[in-house]
Amino acid sequence: MRPGGPLEGSVPISGAKNSVLKLMAATTLAEGGYVLHNVPRILDVDWMGDLLTSMGMVVTPAGEGSLHIDHRPDLRPEAPYELVERMRASIVVMGPLLARYGRARVAMPGGDDFGPRPIDMHLRALEDLGATFEVAHGYIEARADHLVGARLLLEFPSVGATENALMAAVLAKGTTVIDNAAREPEIADLAAFLTRMGAQIEGAGSPTITIEGVDELNPVEHTVIPDRIEAATFLAAVGIAGGEVTLQGARADHMDMLIQKLGEMGMRISPDTDGIWAFAPRRLRSADVSTLPYPGLATDYKPLLVALLATADGVGIVTENLFSGRFRYIDELVRMGADIRTEGHHAVVRGRPLLSGAPVRAPDIRAGAALVVAALKAEGETEVFDAHHIDRGYDRFVDKLRSLGADVSSA
Ligand code: EPZ
């Protein structure tokens, strides 16, 4: 990477990683052939495909950006350690497998560089629907002769717990109400997919979701919503380098809080017929940032915002309210000359006009992308190691950046 900008042109936004993975898990709910469109070409999709294949399903490409998933009879409802260990999102197969097969054997997901990531709310919600659990040899053995609808009150609007509960409740007897549910757009996309399969769901996207269990579901065809985190990454890139871009297919209505925050920092952003139009001056103003569940400012945007604040004019205070340990990339930004101090789940970022290129290491998907974005305003060359993390969540990231005029290449 070498400094560049201003960025110009338009770039297509791919389908959402944090939706497509759950849609793929939901195909374990009913036998038959599914087709998903607007599927991003990312490692995590391949890995979820490996998981479904290990259960006995057949996952094949179905043309540009589409995937065919064939749920064959006699599926093995098991998620082995080596597949769960590399992708935590695998845990969301538990709810649908329990609902469809009455049992599931899933490896315990470990923590990752965000710190401890418990699944107590997933287990509590499924238990309230009538499931029982045994943990042995690193695996969760889940059983449920039949699931029965209930009121589920989530202690925190967890995305994963809401999705697991939703996919279990669609085949449970009677009515389920999920209170304090997560409201992310990916939840609404999952509910739209399940409804197309024949499920009865109301209130997805709001704090209260009501599900009437049905006896049977059917395979369907569905188009994945655009990836708001990928769109946010390109907004951050133009924010740091300056310029004017169009994000084709992006949904501004999924990113209100971020667009408002970037507006506060000096960007001009508006929806247009193609997606989202964005303009940024050469240097932004600092602002304070606090992450919250949707519709608050997403924690996944935060590494990008810290990179922006590192070159903005002024001082910004950043507060992380979801993942206590999600500051590991800060040392890498400091290696690039950023002035950032952390204290607990706060960071104080004093903006500098220019960073300096350096060898850095990507600790995870979003942090990796943030280091690439920061390098757009760093003197000299930046080399991002462990960039495979970025490929887990970004479809043709380097090509897309280059198409906007960035001086970036991958080894
Ligand atoms: C999803 O993770 C996303 N991952 C994450 O994006 C995203 O950061 C997160 O939601 C928050 O928006 C996927 O969709 C694959 P949570 P998830 O359950 O479901 C605590 C990315 O880069 N919690 O909403 O794991 C938890 O520790 C990834 O794309 C419990 O305590 O997040 C955290 O503090 C990174 N017990 C908070 O809730 C539980 O049982 C939110 O977690 C469940 C969660």
Side-chain angles (χ1 to χ4, degrees), residues 142-153:
R143 282 192 181 279
D145 296 338
H146 52 265
L147 295 173
V148 180
R151 176 174 181 249
L152 313 177
L153 177 56

Side-chain angles (χ1 to χ4, degrees), residues 285-356:
R285 295 183 293 274
S286 281
D288 294 341
V289 165
S290 193
T291 66
L292 285 169
Y294 194 89
L297 213 57
T299 172
D300 296 337
Y301 298 151
K302 192 201 58 201
L304 303 163
L305 288 164
V306 170
L308 268 180
L309 291 172
T311 62
D313 184 7
V315 179
I317 298 174
V318 177
T319 305
E320 170 59 55
N321 292 310
L322 273 86
F323 295 108
S324 53
R326 201 171 189 178
F327 276 132
R328 277 197 48 216
Y329 55 91
I330 297 237
D331 297 344
E332 301 306 299
L333 284 171
V334 169
R335 192 192 302 280
M336 294 174 73
D339 180 349
I340 309 174
R341 315 277 161 89
T342 58
E343 182 67 45
H345 62 136
H346 299 287
V348 178
V349 188
R350 282 188 178 74
R352 297 212 148 133
L354 207 57
L355 299 175
S356 65

Side-chain angles (χ1 to χ4, degrees), residues 19 23 35-39 189 193 196 221-226:
S19 178
L23 305 181
V35 182
L36 294 177
H37 300 291
N38 199 25
V39 174
D189 200 27
F193 181 74
R196 217 180 273 257
E221 196 160 339
H222 184 84
T223 299
V224 183
I225 58 171

Side-chain angles (χ1 to χ4, degrees), residues 155-172:
E155 229 174 292
F156 186 89
S158 151
V159 171
T162 302
E163 292 162 336
N164 248 329
L166 183 56
M167 288 192 274
V170 289
L171 287 178

Side-chain angles (χ1 to χ4, degrees), residues 58-308:
V58 179
V59 181
T60 45
E64 175 68 25
S66 295
L67 210 55
H68 187 271
I69 299 176
D70 193 1
H71 178 156
R72 300 273 172 87
D74 306 326
L75 192 108
R76 280 182 305 284
E78 178 159 333
Y81 172 74
E82 59 281 8
L83 298 179
V84 173
E85 189 263 331
R86 64 180 180 182
M87 184 178 66
R88 281 185 56 78
S90 316
I91 192 72
V92 296
V93 298
M94 191 188 298
L97 289 175
L98 260 176
R100 176 66 188 77
Y101 289 94
R103 64 187 181 88
R105 184 165 188 268
V106 179
M108 285 286 280
D112 61 17
D113 65 277
F114 297 173
R117 294 183 70 181
I119 56 165
D120 54 316
M121 296 179 212
H122 297 240
L123 302 183
R124 171 71 197 265
L126 296 172
E127 223 161 39
D128 288 349
L129 291 172
T132 58
F133 298 97
E134 259 176 55
V135 178
H137 311 297
Y139 277 80
I140 305 163
E141 303 274 356
R143 282 192 181 279
D145 296 338
H146 52 265
L147 295 173
V148 180
R151 176 174 181 249
L152 313 177
L153 177 56
L154 299 185
E155 229 174 292
F156 186 89
S158 151
V159 171
T162 302
E163 292 162 336
N164 248 329
L166 183 56
M167 288 192 274
V170 289
L171 287 178
K173 285 251 162 305
T175 309
T176 297
V177 176
I178 307 176
D179 264 327
N180 198 25
R183 301 168 58 189
E184 275 69 2
E186 295 77 25
I187 303 277
D189 200 27
L190 174 61
F193 181 74
L194 294 168
T195 302
R196 217 180 273 257
M197 290 174 70
Q200 293 182 22
I201 304 169
E202 273 172 32
S206 83
T208 302
I209 305 177
T210 304
I211 305 111
E212 277 311 319
V214 296
D215 296 333
E216 209 186 345
L217 296 168
N218 300 299
V220 290
E221 196 160 339
H222 184 84
T223 299
V224 183
I225 58 171
D227 197 318
R228 62 195 168 98
I229 319 287
E230 184 196 18
T233 307
F234 286 103
L235 289 178
V238 74
I240 212 166
E244 182 176 353
V245 299
T246 297
L247 309 182
Q248 293 159 3
R251 294 257 314 254
D253 59 322
H254 289 171
M255 309 169 69
D256 286 343
M257 202 63 86
L258 178 70
I259 291 173
Q260 181 173 292
K261 182 56 67 180
L262 294 174
E264 214 182 288
M265 295 171 73
M267 289 184 71
R268 298 206 323 268
I269 303 172
S270 64
D272 77 1
T273 43
D274 280 346
I276 291 178
W277 169 87
F279 168 82
R282 286 301 272 164
R283 191 168 186 209
L284 299 184
R285 295 183 293 274
S286 281
D288 294 341
V289 165
S290 193
T291 66
L292 285 169
Y294 194 89
L297 213 57
T299 172
D300 296 337
Y301 298 151
K302 192 201 58 201
L304 303 163
L305 288 164
V306 170
L308 268 180

